[in-house]
Amino acid sequence: SLLYPLPPAHHPRLFEKCPPPKLQQQLQQPNTSHPRYGLGMRALRHPPAIVPILVLARKRLYQSGNIHSSSTVWLLPTDTKVTILFEELLEAGHSDAEYDAWPIHIGKGDQFGSGFVQINPNSKIPALIDRSSSEEEPIKLFESGSILLHLAEKFEAFIPTDPAKRVQMLNWLFWQVGAAPYLGGGFGHFYSYAPVKLEYPINRFAMETKRQLDVLDKHLANNKYMVGDEYTIADMAIFPWYGGLVLGSMYGSSTEFLDTDQYSNVIRWAEEISERPAVVRGRKVNKMWGDESEQLHERHEASDFDTKTQDKLKN
């Protein structure tokens, strides 16, 4: 039996509304020469001895006395939840939230290197080393929800003090953790990145993504943020995925395909968050595509936003 049943006959077939070009010609056996084909297994069979970028981080982390930041974070460029929170903490006056951000190139298999695996045995991004504790050993964290919760509790910021609101914040934080894989690893992968266009998974994950957007839209119809009028780490977790989706910064023509204009409350919420100065900065960190003025490949101090974006480095 199928894990997920086929859509009922009366359900609109979203795939047929806006199909990728030349779909039928693309329905074929996997192209084993495609650069994305088997990437994970190739990296597992031939893992680098240690991630080159992480070597630099480790040298600075343990051998140099010139590092003043309390944390070092490795991020997937599209996953800006953690950098947004760091920048929001700094914007709010928490000077101890200074951090270093190093990129990990998952297309090259960096996440399988032994140095990174020592921090996250699951070989996923983001990962964080918190060196601000008085403990001799630094705190190693992985999974974005865990990192956000750790930092919010550490600085007592962007997390409600009211018990009922705290529960609501946790509800939405973990909603995002559980829901986003259907958007990114499901819809985003099969719609934009898969070397073969397959109708069923695009249909299935498109419908699930629209269902999730509808959940958010109904909630935000009566709430300014995810927890009433209080801006929290739940907003920071959800915005990069669902805010980015409705604002058109993800997956090419997906806004038309998913008809995201109908989710007006999500768009209102996303536009407001996208204009926050800390969010603007956080979205630049480790970004390696698009406008060069918005690309800060590595972040080590606040002045990097003024002097080390790619457009500045080329001048």
Side-chain angles (χ1 to χ4, degrees):
S1 62
L2 293 174
L3 180 60
Y4 298 108
L6 292 171
H10 64 273
H11 197 290
R13 296 186 65 81
L14 301 174
F15 191 88
E16 295 173 357
K17 177 181 177 182
C18 184
K22 301 181 180 178
L23 170 64
Q24 295 304 319
Q25 288 84 346
Q26 296 181 44
L27 294 176
Q28 56 188 357
Q29 293 298 314
N31 177 6
T32 56
S33 64
H34 192 281
R36 295 183 184 274
Y37 183 84
L39 173 63
M41 291 308 298
R42 290 202 304 273
L44 284 171
R45 288 196 296 267
H46 305 288
I50 192 166
V51 180
I53 293 176
L54 190 57
V55 171
L56 290 173
R58 287 167 62 86
K59 285 181 179 178
R60 295 189 64 185
L61 196 61
Y62 297 114
Q63 298 176 14
S64 170
N66 297 324
I67 298 301
H68 302 290
S69 60
S70 62
S71 302
T72 300
V73 59
W74 290 271
L75 291 167
L76 177 69
T78 56
D79 189 356
T80 56
K81 305 175 206 173
V82 178
T83 53
I84 286 175
L85 175 54
F86 269 120
E87 293 299 328
E88 290 283 11
L89 289 168
L90 292 169
E91 184 83 9
H94 297 280
S95 58
D96 289 344
E98 265 301 331
Y99 69 102
D100 294 296
W102 303 86
I104 285 292
H105 299 278
I106 62 172
K108 299 177 183 178
D110 287 358
Q111 71 275 27
F112 298 110
S114 58
F116 188 79
V117 173
Q118 289 175 11
I119 302 164
N120 184 357
N122 196 37
S123 297
K124 297 293 183 179
I125 299 167
L128 170 71
I129 293 181
D130 183 347
R131 297 183 287 114
S132 64
S133 173
S134 59
E135 299 293 330
E136 184 174 339
E137 289 294 323
I139 299 173
K140 299 177 182 179
L141 298 105
F142 57 93
E143 293 297 332
S144 60
S146 174
I147 295 171
L148 293 179
L149 192 56
H150 168 77
L151 292 173
E153 290 181 336
K154 178 186 184 72
F155 291 98
E156 299 181 346
F158 303 109
I159 184 168
T161 56
D162 177 81
K165 290 184 177 180
R166 177 185 169 85
V167 169
Q168 290 303 309
M169 186 276 296
L170 291 172
N171 286 343
W172 286 110
L173 174 63
F174 289 108
W175 176 88
Q176 185 278 320
V177 171
Y182 291 96
L183 167 56
F187 174 74
H189 173 75
F190 287 105
Y191 183 81
S192 292
Y193 303 129
V196 179
K197 300 298 182 185
L198 301 174
E199 180 176 359
Y200 175 74
I202 294 178
N203 267 342
R204 189 267 180 272
F205 290 114
M207 286 186 284
E208 173 59 15
T209 298
K210 288 178 69 66
R211 187 195 69 81
Q212 293 174 3
L213 286 170
D214 186 62
V215 169
L216 287 173
D217 198 66
K218 289 177 179 176
H219 179 73
L220 290 168
N222 300 308
N223 296 274
K224 181 178 181 180
Y225 298 114
M226 298 310 301
V227 185
D229 293 333
E230 189 170 353
Y231 178 61
T232 71
I233 57 173
D235 298 282
M236 299 178 209
I238 296 169
F239 168 77
W241 285 106
Y242 297 90
L245 182 65
V246 300
L247 294 180
S249 62
M250 299 168 61
Y251 311 135
S253 61
S254 63
T255 52
E256 179 184 1
F257 185 86
L258 296 170
D259 192 20
T260 58
D261 286 348
Q262 67 182 289
Y263 307 110
S264 58
N265 299 307
V266 180
I267 293 173
R268 183 270 306 162
W269 166 84
E271 288 177 341
E272 181 173 337
I273 292 178
S274 70
E275 294 174 357
R276 295 176 67 92
V279 173
V280 172
R281 293 195 303 272
R283 297 180 79 183
K284 294 180 180 181
V285 178
N286 294 153
K287 186 177 180 181
M288 297 187 182
W289 69 94
D291 190 327
E292 291 185 342
S293 67
E294 298 179 356
Q295 296 183 38
L296 182 62
H297 290 187
E298 295 182 8
R299 188 272 188 210
H300 304 291
E301 54 188 4
S303 62
D304 289 347
F305 292 102
D306 299 320
T307 62
K308 294 185 179 179
T309 52
Q310 285 302 106
D311 61 321
K312 303 287 178 46
L313 295 177
K314 289 188 175 182
N315 293 333

